[in-house]
Amino acid sequence: MQSESSRDLRSHSFSSTASSLNRTPRNSLENETTVLPSFSHDKYLQEQFVEPQCGLSLGPSNEPDVASFFAGKSVFITGATGFVGKVLVEKLLRSCSDVDKIFILVRPKRGVDPVTRIQKEFGNCELFRRVQRFNPDYVRKIIPIHGDMTKADLGISGSDVRLIQDDVSIVFHVAATVRFDEKLKSALQLNVIAAKYLMKIARGMKNLQSYQHISTAYAHCDQSYIDEMLYPTPANADQLHSSIEWMTDDMVSKITPSILNKKPNTYTFTKAMAEHMVITEGVGLPINIVRPSIVGATWKEPFPGWIDNHHGASGLMIAYGKGMLPSVLGDVNATFDLVPVDVVVNNMIAAAWYTAVKRPIKVPIYNCVSSTSNPLKFQPFASTVVNYYNKSPLKMKLRKPSGLRITKHDQIFNWSHFFHCKLPTTVFDRCLKLVGRKQRLSKMADLVSKSVYTLKYFTCNEWQWRTDNVTSLQNALPGKDKMAFSTELESLNWTSYINDFCAGTKEYVLKENVSEYGTHKSHVTRSNILRRFILASLVPLILWLTLKRTNFAKNLWFAVKLIVTYYTAVVYSKIPC
């Protein structure tokens, strides 16, 4: 147990750290003049990395193409079992089929051996059906490395660390927590400290040719214009980690808003810190950073519409399709920066190739976004989703989606959500309780509301990104690789893509048959009848209960009784005896 004096010293250390963080000049929408914090490598960083990249060098034309570069080399990927990670593994196996080994970091699960885990995640996944046609034994190239992002040195054993350092030439650090409402301690550990441990392992790699860190286009969302450059860190990661390490979760939660300052959540805050930490700790290593925006389903490869999660955009789609999202907080005129995952993966692989082959002096940073070349507004996105789910309804929905109202006002959203979602789900749960079934609809309604408020910052605001490095990277690719690893989005038809995206949520996330319509529509009809009956019953009930509590209603009822009594007496008196 810590002594009181020790706790006082740590508290003093944190308060001094917090005050120093608050004094540090920050980038903001109003003031874009910044000064880098004084870290040991800042002078070097100012000279090498902070200036914007005005296009990448094309270099000589005799370098190997992308597939030839990866041939015979081993790759290490964190986050390979996640959405982006799986698409990356599939693309490497299909387009760089001569890659030697793909080491992936996986958390050990009790009672599940590594071979079974790999077979489940990669062998039985629809995403890999194209790879399976020409290479049925592709799973043998995927080698699990047991580890844990929450532990020191990523929880990797000494023998596995030596194996990686001897064999691996290319690193893709994809793993991160993508929860916007993650607690600061967890977000700091998973997004920053884990990256530092991986950087330590990478320094010992004998043949390292590319180290890629996946960030987010919203890491510096306190800027209106985001360049392909390194921005000042919002806080010193080591100081912050040591300052809050001893605190309870409640203590950290109370001071989190003051630490985040102008950052909207712990996700963007820690992602911004991670970028600076990677470049600071990785001086001299072949580093590149890719910043994707909102990552959506596949556009072309390996086939349209593949998605395996309900985070971000897919979560909103499913909530609407289930009849639990009658309205959403957002700006109808704001740009919804959605980028297909296969385009992101093409950018990642091409960037790794460029760093290894061209050996740029400055660290290339790539803003992988769609709004620069093919902007999508929030209103057309929502309208396309509405049209799709009206034509192809989901199973077991609360009600038929009749439209999606986009509003900036919290009160309008709250009322709409209460009457169209929270109230019906509460009644349904009470009915389920009576028949002995599990109650879960009301909790789902709360989760939908929470998700909408979590995304509000991103659906109500708009940003501009510089993408010169992405354009130059596309131009630097050898002839055939310009198609095989294309990052162009000008030809993307958003209506067609969103329809494929919705179909993907239905088929791959919810496991529903896209071609089945009749049964779903009959369920929708029954749900609508039940919902309308409940609302028709509740409205007069609520009105009666409200009036019953007022003096006016009591006096009105007394007057009605008097009138009825009077006319009854009059009528009775006229009846002959």
Side-chain angles (χ1 to χ4, degrees):
M1 183 175 293
Q2 295 173 326
S3 65
E4 292 298 326
S5 60
S6 174
R7 185 174 296 273
D8 290 342
L9 286 172
R10 287 189 174 185
S11 178
H12 174 74
S13 172
F14 174 76
S15 61
S16 61
T17 301
S19 62
S20 67
L21 292 177
N22 291 331
R23 289 195 300 268
T24 303
R26 301 170 187 270
N27 287 359
S28 64
L29 296 176
E30 295 80 14
N31 180 17
E32 304 216 3
T33 304
T34 58
V35 180
L36 283 170
S38 56
F39 294 97
S40 57
H41 295 291
D42 275 350
K43 184 177 180 181
Y44 181 81
L45 295 174
Q46 288 175 354
E47 294 172 354
Q48 297 296 333
F49 303 118
V50 176
E51 291 301 318
Q53 308 283 315
C54 299
L56 303 175
S57 171
L58 296 181
S61 59
N62 58 348
E63 290 99 348
D65 59 26
V66 176
S68 299
F69 165 71
F70 277 92
K73 293 184 175 65
S74 294
V75 177
F76 181 59
I77 304 174
T78 66
T81 56
F83 175 48
V84 176
K86 281 183 181 176
V87 179
L88 174 61
V89 171
E90 192 278 337
K91 179 69 173 182
L92 288 172
L93 291 170
R94 179 166 48 84
S95 298
C96 305
S97 55
D98 291 328
V99 65
D100 185 20
K101 304 182 193 73
I102 300 178
F103 295 97
I104 64 170
L105 185 70
V106 293
R107 290 184 66 177
K109 286 191 174 181
R110 185 176 299 177
V112 181
D113 64 276
V115 176
T116 305
R117 178 87 186 276
I118 295 299
Q119 184 62 37
K120 179 182 177 182
E121 296 284 353
F122 300 96
N124 301 329
C125 182
E126 280 285 321
L127 179 69
F128 293 86
R129 64 191 182 195
R130 280 186 64 183
V131 175
Q132 195 171 24
R133 291 173 189 168
F134 67 84
N135 184 12
D137 296 327
Y138 68 92
V139 177
R140 292 185 179 180
K141 289 194 173 188
I142 305 173
I143 302 172
I145 299 293
H146 279 183
D148 190 334
M149 299 284 288
T150 64
K151 295 182 179 178
D153 296 326
L154 304 182
I156 304 176
S157 66
S159 58
D160 282 343
V161 168
R162 289 189 292 272
L163 175 64
I164 295 170
Q165 290 177 334
D166 289 341
D167 284 4
V168 169
S169 301
I170 303 105
V171 175
F172 293 96
H173 182 40
V174 186
T177 175
V178 295
R179 289 180 54 185
F180 289 165
D181 58 347
E182 187 74 74
K183 292 181 179 179
L184 181 58
K185 267 189 180 181
S186 298
L188 186 65
Q189 175 64 43
L190 294 170
N191 292 346
V192 184
I193 305 303
K196 186 174 183 179
Y197 288 139
L198 183 57
M199 184 64 63
K200 176 183 174 183
I201 294 173
R203 277 211 171 273
M205 292 181 180
K206 300 176 181 178
N207 304 303
L208 183 63
Q209 294 182 269
S210 173
Y211 180 100
Q212 185 173 107
H213 177 79
I214 305 303
S215 185
T216 172
Y218 298 99
H220 308 288
C221 58
D222 48 349
Q223 302 286 321
S224 59
Y225 178 81
I226 302 172
D227 211 330
E228 293 175 306
M229 58 175 279
L230 176 68
Y231 286 88
T233 179
N236 183 313
D238 291 330
Q239 290 180 4
L240 181 60
H241 184 246
S242 61
S243 297
I244 68 173
E245 189 177 15
W246 60 274
M247 294 185 179
T248 64
D249 288 340
D250 289 340
M251 293 171 67
V252 176
S253 296
K254 289 179 181 178
I255 60 174
T256 294
S258 62
I259 296 175
L260 297 184
N261 199 359
K262 294 180 180 179
K263 299 290 185 184
N265 50 53
T266 58
Y267 174 70
T268 57
F269 178 78
T270 53
K271 278 294 190 179
M273 277 199 297
E275 284 188 6
H276 199 279
M277 186 279 301
V278 165
I279 294 181
T280 304
E281 296 290 328
V283 170
L285 295 180
I287 297 170
N288 61 88
I289 295 175
V290 177
R291 295 173 179 160
S293 55
I294 302 170
V295 183
T298 54
W299 173 24
K300 297 178 180 178
E301 297 182 90
F303 49 85
W306 187 82
I307 180 83
D308 73 341
N309 65 82
H310 48 76
H311 303 303
S314 58
L316 292 179
M317 290 177 174
I318 293 171
Y320 175 79
K322 288 289 187 180
M324 302 186 75
L325 192 68
S327 63
V328 65
L329 290 169
D331 184 351
V332 294
N333 297 315
T335 300
F336 191 64
D337 205 291
L338 187 65
V339 60
V341 65
D342 46 333
V343 173
V344 174
V345 165
N346 285 345
N347 195 155
M348 291 166 61
I349 295 175
W353 167 85
Y354 184 91
T355 296
V357 172
K358 306 289 185 178
R359 298 181 180 275
I361 297 175
K362 297 180 180 180
V363 171
I365 299 176
Y366 304 91
N367 289 334
C368 186
V369 298
S370 62
S371 56
T372 305
S373 58
N374 191 359
L376 169 68
K377 296 298 181 181
F378 197 34
Q379 179 64 67
F381 166 77
S383 299
T384 307
V385 173
V386 168
N387 292 336
Y388 177 85
Y389 283 121
N390 284 342
K391 293 177 182 178
S392 181
L394 299 177
K395 290 181 180 179
M396 302 304 293
K397 58 179 2 85
L398 179 66
R399 65 184 183 93
K400 180 182 178 181
S402 56
L404 182 61
R405 181 173 185 174
I406 302 173
T407 177
K408 290 182 178 180
H409 305 290
D410 293 0
Q411 198 62 37
I412 294 176
F413 169 77
N414 291 338
W415 276 100
S416 175
H417 179 74
F418 176 77
F419 281 108
H420 293 284
C421 186
K422 182 63 178 177
L423 188 59
T425 54
T426 302
V427 174
F428 276 129
D429 272 351
R430 294 292 183 270
C431 296
L432 290 172
K433 184 178 181 180
L434 291 175
V435 296
R437 296 182 62 181
K438 186 177 180 181
Q439 306 172 66
R440 57 181 181 177
L441 291 175
S442 185
K443 290 183 179 179
M444 290 174 62
D446 292 338
L447 183 61
V448 169
S449 177
K450 183 179 178 181
S451 298
V452 169
Y453 274 103
T454 301
L455 294 170
K456 178 185 175 183
Y457 182 87
F458 303 96
T459 54
C460 290
N461 292 298
E462 197 169 27
W463 294 265
Q464 290 182 321
W465 286 272
R466 185 175 183 174
T467 57
D468 289 356
N469 282 355
V470 176
T471 303
S472 297
L473 177 63
Q474 179 71 21
N475 295 332
L477 290 169
K480 63 178 183 179
D481 288 337
K482 284 181 168 63
M483 287 293 293
F485 300 93
S486 174
T487 57
E488 73 85 21
L489 288 165
E490 289 84 354
S491 62
L492 174 60
N493 182 298
W494 282 115
T495 301
S496 176
Y497 173 73
I498 295 168
N499 283 331
D500 289 336
F501 196 164
C502 291
T505 61
K506 185 174 183 179
E507 183 173 2
Y508 304 113
V509 180
L510 301 176
K511 308 300 181 184
E512 296 183 12
N513 191 333
V514 179
S515 61
E516 291 180 0
Y517 300 113
T519 305
H520 302 190
K521 289 184 177 179
S522 63
H523 172 75
V524 171
T525 303
R526 291 194 300 268
S527 296
N528 282 337
I529 293 173
L530 180 60
R531 183 178 64 87
R532 289 172 182 174
F533 174 76
I534 291 172
L535 288 176
S537 303
L538 285 174
V539 169
L541 178 63
I542 293 172
L543 183 62
W544 179 75
L545 289 173
T546 303
L547 292 175
K548 188 179 179 181
R549 291 177 177 272
T550 63
N551 290 326
F552 173 77
K554 291 178 181 179
N555 294 332
L556 180 63
W557 178 242
F558 181 73
V560 170
K561 288 194 293 183
L562 283 178
I563 294 172
V564 171
T565 303
Y566 171 77
Y567 279 104
T568 302
V570 170
V571 172
Y572 181 79
S573 64
K574 293 182 179 182
I575 297 175
C577 297

